[in-house]
Amino acid sequence: MVIVGNLTPYKDLPAIIDAFTTHTRRARLLVAGPCRTPSLAEHLAAQERAGGGRIRLHLDRIPPEHVRTLYRAASAVLCPYRAESERAFFRHVLYPASGSTALASGTAVIAPDLSAIAEMTQGRRAWLYPAPTGAGPLLAAAESILPLCAALDSAPADASRQWRVITTTYERIFHQLAATPSTPRAEQPAVVGRPAHRLHRPAH
């Protein structure tokens, strides 16, 4: 799993990392992005040291051209946000770039159940948790479910499917044409074997 983006206090990163280490057993988490709050950076570093090797911290910007590759390699993208008290407006306006990038990459999203996030993830692979409850129980469930999803995603595609689709399309076109009567126009009789282009000799 990954968390990618600006590492800021309003994302409540210490809480989500604590939930991750408490409720998962095998999953690994990469937290990557610039952090401009020294106290937060120190807290995250302490969590990395206490994580038993399952937490990796990269306090630097990820080049944009690498983000999609990173997301596609992850089983899920965590998009944690606080949405209480003075941050309550996030419940209605937050469309996290990390979430939209994850969806575009076909990667599952784990995020708080805010109205804007629910809207952007509708019909997609996403696990949304009640913000006051926290992500812990959901992370435990996702740890078991995500490997199964990855196995389905990596299953070999049916190579014959495209040909069956093409065959069905041609059959449908044939039946449509066969059911449509056609009357050749008298002024333009059909000519069999007429070349596509004629050569004209200059008049003498």
Side-chain angles (χ1 to χ4, degrees):
M1 301 182 187
V2 297
I3 297 175
V4 178
N6 292 318
L7 307 182
T8 59
Y10 74 84
K11 292 185 178 180
D12 205 16
L13 295 170
I16 196 73
I17 294 175
D18 282 342
F20 175 85
T21 55
T22 302
H23 290 84
T24 65
R25 295 293 177 266
R26 302 173 305 278
R28 297 176 180 274
L29 176 64
L30 169 65
V31 182
C35 182
R36 297 178 177 85
T37 306
S39 59
L40 176 59
E42 293 174 4
H43 194 139
L44 296 177
Q47 289 180 304
E48 180 185 31
R49 291 191 297 270
R54 296 199 299 126
I55 309 294
R56 295 298 303 272
L57 194 61
H58 179 77
L59 296 182
D60 201 356
R61 180 175 176 270
I62 299 293
E65 63 271 18
H66 296 164
V67 171
R68 186 176 177 86
T69 301
L70 181 62
Y71 277 21
R72 291 182 67 85
S75 58
V77 175
L78 301 186
C79 305
Y81 291 90
R82 300 178 66 177
E84 76 283 358
S85 63
E86 72 275 7
R87 300 180 178 89
F89 69 95
F90 278 148
R91 296 182 181 275
H92 307 287
V93 302
L94 184 65
Y95 289 87
S98 56
S100 58
T101 305
L103 294 174
S105 303
T107 308
V109 171
I110 298 177
D113 189 9
L114 307 181
S115 57
I117 296 179
E119 178 183 349
M120 71 183 291
T121 59
Q122 185 175 11
R124 311 296 290 274
R125 190 187 300 167
W127 285 269
L128 306 184
Y129 56 88
T133 304
L138 189 148
L139 285 169
E143 184 180 36
S144 300
I145 296 171
L146 287 169
L148 300 177
C149 297
L152 291 174
D153 290 341
S154 61
D158 183 358
S160 64
R161 181 179 181 277
Q162 61 176 331
W163 297 112
R164 292 200 303 272
V165 172
I166 293 172
T167 301
T168 302
T169 302
Y170 276 118
E171 287 177 347
R172 185 172 65 252
I173 294 173
F174 168 78
H175 289 303
Q176 289 174 349
L177 293 175
T180 304
S182 59
T183 304
R185 293 186 297 176
E187 66 274 15
Q188 292 184 356
V191 179
V192 179
R194 185 176 64 186
H197 302 283
R198 291 185 178 181
L199 297 178
H200 297 277
R201 294 183 178 180
H204 296 286

